[in-house]
């Protein structure tokens, strides 16, 4: 059995540039890996084909799971029939949370399969395979701080964030990503992130500038109930001393950036009383 950790991603910004012919959207996002992680194991299977097992019994157990689908795509790319394998996932990243939990597991399976074959494929090739599995998978294969454009596959690595604490808080409801895309594409987007200002903050290592430029256009497509909960969590983080707060991906996880660990811990303690899925994390560097 070989193992690898699969880190969650957050969006420091998310902007939608336009709708494409294929139904997908062109995006401009600043992504960041954080220390909240799943553990993914790969071993020879005792059953035929690709099996997936996890500590959450509602997750798909075969190629319906992105981790299983990525294994199938890996062998398709090599023009080989899939081997009998068992993928075991210890899930810590909340599901349907805007944290790319499924995509990061899929990316990790690609790394593990490549490692098992003594790394015949480059990162770029793995990213090409990953894109067939999901738009966030190419980013998850590299991790760290990056600008993602196109559907998410045009990636520019950025300098690491300055040391800081990133608090994540997921309310109990889920938001459907395709539904949120469809709602927002019927609206005029009134407010957009200052991506250039955010990138300048990252290049100069200014935590305050980074935190204050965080912005996600999807927050304009939430229903009143979702909007109320998200803004309550954001305000709570800001009251506890977060330098900035925003929603990640298609939500509903809210993130807050703190430079002071004690303030971040107080916010974590308080939010955890109401929201069990609250996690204090730090930024994680990528492979590039
Ligand atoms: O690629 P992934 O499966 O993560 O995307 C989930 C859904 O989000 C897609 O089916 C699509 O509706 C929407 N999406 C999009 N444009 C993107 C990424 C995702 O419209 N760039």
């Amino acid at each position: 059995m070989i193992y690898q950790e699969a880190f969650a991603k957050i969006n420091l910004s998310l902007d939608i540039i336009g709708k494409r012919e294929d139904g997908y959207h062109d995006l401009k996002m600043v992504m960041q890996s954080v220390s909240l992680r799943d553990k993914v194991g790969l071993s020879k299977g005792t059953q035929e084909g690709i099996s997936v097992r996890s500590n959450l019994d509602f997750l798909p157990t075969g190629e319906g799971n992105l981790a299983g689908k990525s294994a199938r795509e890996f062998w398709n790319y090599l023009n080989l029939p899939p081997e009998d394998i068992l993928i075991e996932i210890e899930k810590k990243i909340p599901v349907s949370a805007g944290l790319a939990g499924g995509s990061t597991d899929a990316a990790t399976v690609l790394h593990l399969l490549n490692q098992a074959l003594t790394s015949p494929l480059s990162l770029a090739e793995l990213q090409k395979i990953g894109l067939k599995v999901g738009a966030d998978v190419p980013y998850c294969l590299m991790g760290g701080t990056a600008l993602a454009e196109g559907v998410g596959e045009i990636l520019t690595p950025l300098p690491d964030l300055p040391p800081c604490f990133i608090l994540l808080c997921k309310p109990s409801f889920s938001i459907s990503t395709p539904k949120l895309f469809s709602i927002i594409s019927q609206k005029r987007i009134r407010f957009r992130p200052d991506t250039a200002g955010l990138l300048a903050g990252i290049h100069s290592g200014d935590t305050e500038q980074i935190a204050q430029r965080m912005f996600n256009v999807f927050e304009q497509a939430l229903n009143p109930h979702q909007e109320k909960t998200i803004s309550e969590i954001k305000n709570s983080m800001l009251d506890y001393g977060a330098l900035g707060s925003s929603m990640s991906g298609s939500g509903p996880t809210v993130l807050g950036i703190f430079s002071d660990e004690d303030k971040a811990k107080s916010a974590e303690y308080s939010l955890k009383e109401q929201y069990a899925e609250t996690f204090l994390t730090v930024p994680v560097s990528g492979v590039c």
Side-chain angles (χ1 to χ4, degrees), residues 11 38 121 140 147 190 192 258 278 286:
N11 288 90
D38 295 342
L121 302 182
C140 290
L147 175 69
R190 294 178 58 214
R192 293 184 179 277
F258 294 78
T278 300

Side-chain angles (χ1 to χ4, degrees), residues 122-185:
S122 65
L123 176 62
E125 285 174 297
L126 293 176
Q127 287 175 321
K128 203 168 149 190
I129 302 170
L131 185 57
K132 291 181 195 285
V133 181
D136 280 343
V137 180
Y139 162 74
C140 290
L141 280 155
M142 65 183 263
T145 314
L147 175 69
E149 296 172 280
V151 298
E153 86 290 17
I154 304 171
L155 293 160
T156 311
L158 296 168
D160 285 347
L161 285 196
C164 62
F165 300 90
I166 301 178
L167 184 61
L168 310 180
C169 176
K170 182 195 169 283
S172 55
F173 56 84
S174 309
I175 300 179
S176 151
T177 305
K179 198 166 157 197
L180 206 57
F181 268 111
S182 125
I183 292 171
I184 203 154
S185 62

Side-chain angles (χ1 to χ4, degrees), residues 170-244:
K170 182 195 169 283
S172 55
F173 56 84
S174 309
I175 300 179
S176 151
T177 305
K179 198 166 157 197
L180 206 57
F181 268 111
S182 125
I183 292 171
I184 203 154
S185 62
Q186 286 157 36
K187 283 184 163 216
R188 190 175 68 86
I189 298 175
R190 294 178 58 214
F191 304 105
R192 293 184 179 277
D194 170 14
T195 308
L198 174 59
L199 294 176
I202 291 171
H203 282 287
S204 60
D206 182 336
T207 312
E208 206 160 330
Q209 185 174 348
I210 295 166
Q212 288 171 358
R213 299 291 186 294
M214 290 198 300
F215 192 85
N216 182 340
V217 293
F218 275 135
E219 287 183 41
Q220 294 157 75
L222 300 174
N223 70 33
H225 162 70
Q226 293 165 340
E227 196 179 345
K228 183 166 173 284
T229 307
I230 299 298
S231 56
E232 276 170 10
I233 297 172
K234 284 168 68 171
N235 288 334
S236 180
M237 289 195 185
L238 295 171
D239 287 346
Y240 274 96
L243 301 173

Side-chain angles (χ1 to χ4, degrees), residues 20 23-27 66 103 131 133-136 150-152 177-178 181:
R20 300 154 52 111
Y24 267 67
H25 294 78
D26 279 317
L27 308 172
L66 292 187
S103 301
L131 185 57
V133 181
D136 280 343
V151 298
T177 305
F181 268 111

Side-chain angles (χ1 to χ4, degrees), residues 93-113:
I93 305 171
V95 175
S96 295
L99 298 172
S103 301
T104 193
D105 295 342
T108 303
V109 167
L110 293 177
H111 275 308
L112 286 169
L113 284 168

